[in-house]
Amino acid sequence: MTKIAHSVNHFDLRSGKMKKKLITTLPSPRLSEDDLIHSLGIPIPISPLASESSKLQVFSETDSDKNELDKRLLLLYTQIIDLIYWKIPGRSAIVLGGILLSFILTSYYSLLYAMAASFTILTGSNLVFVNAYRWIHSIWTGLPINNLIHPYNIYIHQKPIVLLSRNTREHTVHTLIDILEIVVQKTARIVLVKDSKVTAIACLVSAYIYLTTSIISSTKTVLGLLVLKLFTLPYYYERHEDDVDRQWWEIQDTVKTALARYLIDLRRDAIIIYEQTIKAMNALIQCVKDRQKST
């Protein structure tokens, strides 16, 4: 049986002071259950409050991961806006040129061919460099090649960079799945004509895409034109906002004036056609009456 060690206070007659004395005893049935469990070393079960606190801790970690993902998305959004509006002209020019060049290259060569060629050139040149470096260094120092330090030793043995934590990756995957589900639900509602107006707009957009892709057979050309517009129109509008707004209002006024004139002419022609139709109907009725009288 496990013994229990505890201290008690007692009065020392020689010194006239209170002292603590360590006493080792067997567990008493009068001890409380908590004291007995603690003294015997039995693990104490987690209380509901502790489980709730652990749940709160998990929720706080999830919220922090979500905030981290939101910050990364916000940073990505600001970087894209900076590229579109040419905040750093050199970077925007490099990105735009790289995208257009990739479209041009992949229109003549397959993507697999381009990737294999890039990997072969990069790896082959690096292979020649590493072996030449180690061979020259071995001749210069007189040491065997196996005892030399690799030129990329720092990059080979460094710790892997964790771009996103596991919780953040899981949250990102769940978010993408939710977005996919929403897109599928919205598409199904459009196809099943839940709202006629929304379905009509979707049909117009789809028809525009169909006509554009039928005129321009290459999808890469369409994507290249979209990327070019994305990198030019916002920047042009920001630089010439007043002129563009003035021209836009002038076009709107011109369209409104032409539409008003067209409606006036259409209304006048409709009135004329209506009056002529009434006259023709009256003449036809009068002719029928005259024939009935003559018979």
Side-chain angles (χ1 to χ4, degrees):
M1 185 176 295
T2 306
K3 295 182 179 181
I4 302 174
H6 60 279
S7 59
V8 294
N9 296 325
H10 72 286
F11 183 78
D12 191 3
L13 297 175
R14 296 180 180 179
S15 61
K17 297 181 180 179
M18 293 293 293
K19 291 185 178 182
K20 289 185 178 181
K21 185 178 180 181
L22 186 62
I23 301 175
T24 302
T25 60
L26 294 174
S28 172
R30 296 183 180 180
L31 290 174
S32 64
E33 184 178 359
D34 295 337
D35 295 335
L36 182 60
I37 291 173
H38 179 71
S39 61
L40 295 178
I42 301 174
I44 301 174
I46 300 174
S47 64
L49 296 177
S51 61
E52 292 295 332
S53 62
S54 62
K55 290 180 181 179
L56 293 176
Q57 184 178 2
V58 172
F59 291 154
S60 63
E61 291 178 357
T62 306
D63 294 338
S64 63
D65 294 332
K66 184 178 180 181
N67 294 331
E68 180 183 357
L69 180 61
D70 294 338
K71 290 179 181 179
R72 289 180 182 274
L73 293 176
L74 181 60
L75 179 61
L76 179 62
Y77 174 76
T78 54
Q79 289 177 351
I80 293 174
I81 293 298
D82 291 342
L83 288 175
I84 292 174
Y85 285 95
W86 296 75
K87 300 298 182 182
I88 303 177
R91 183 183 300 175
S92 300
I94 291 173
V95 172
L96 177 60
I99 294 174
L100 295 180
L101 183 62
S102 63
F103 285 154
I104 294 171
L105 291 177
T106 52
S107 62
Y108 293 100
Y109 305 100
S110 65
L111 184 61
L112 180 61
Y113 175 84
M115 292 175 62
S118 302
F119 180 80
T120 303
I121 294 172
L122 179 62
T123 308
S125 60
N126 213 15
L127 178 64
V128 173
F129 165 73
V130 170
N131 285 279
Y133 173 84
R134 298 179 72 179
W135 181 68
I136 294 172
H137 199 191
S138 176
I139 294 174
W140 183 262
T141 58
L143 298 174
I145 295 178
N146 296 329
N147 295 336
L148 297 177
I149 299 176
H150 197 279
Y152 297 119
N153 182 56
I154 299 175
Y155 303 102
I156 292 174
H157 297 287
Q158 70 178 357
K159 294 182 179 179
I161 300 173
V162 180
L163 298 178
L164 293 174
S165 63
R166 185 179 183 84
N167 293 331
T168 305
R169 291 196 298 268
E170 292 178 355
H171 178 72
T172 305
V173 171
H174 291 313
T175 304
L176 293 177
I177 293 174
D178 293 339
I179 293 172
L180 182 61
E181 289 180 353
I182 292 172
V183 170
V184 171
Q185 292 175 1
K186 295 292 184 181
T187 306
R189 291 176 182 177
I190 290 173
V191 173
L192 298 176
V193 195
K194 181 181 179 181
D195 190 350
S196 300
K197 183 178 180 180
V198 176
T199 305
I201 294 173
C203 288
L204 291 176
V205 173
S206 178
Y208 173 76
I209 296 173
Y210 171 74
L211 293 175
T212 304
T213 52
S214 63
I215 295 172
I216 304 173
S217 59
S218 178
T219 306
K220 294 175 183 177
T221 305
V222 177
L223 293 177
L225 292 176
L226 290 177
V227 171
L228 192 61
K229 290 180 181 179
L230 186 64
F231 274 84
T232 54
L233 293 181
Y235 177 74
Y236 179 81
Y237 178 75
E238 187 181 23
R239 295 292 298 273
H240 308 280
E241 183 176 358
D242 296 334
D243 297 336
V244 172
D245 290 340
R246 186 177 66 255
Q247 293 177 0
W248 174 250
W249 287 113
E250 290 178 357
I251 292 171
Q252 282 187 341
D253 293 338
T254 304
V255 171
K256 288 180 180 179
T257 304
L259 184 61
R261 291 178 181 176
Y262 176 75
L263 291 176
I264 291 172
D265 295 338
L266 184 64
R267 186 178 298 174
R268 185 177 65 250
D269 295 338
I271 292 173
I272 293 173
I273 293 172
Y274 175 76
E275 291 177 351
Q276 291 177 355
T277 303
I278 294 298
K279 288 180 181 180
M281 292 294 294
N282 292 330
L284 181 62
I285 292 171
Q286 187 65 32
C287 181
V288 172
K289 288 181 179 179
D290 292 341
R291 285 184 179 181
Q292 288 178 353
K293 288 179 181 181
S294 61
T295 56

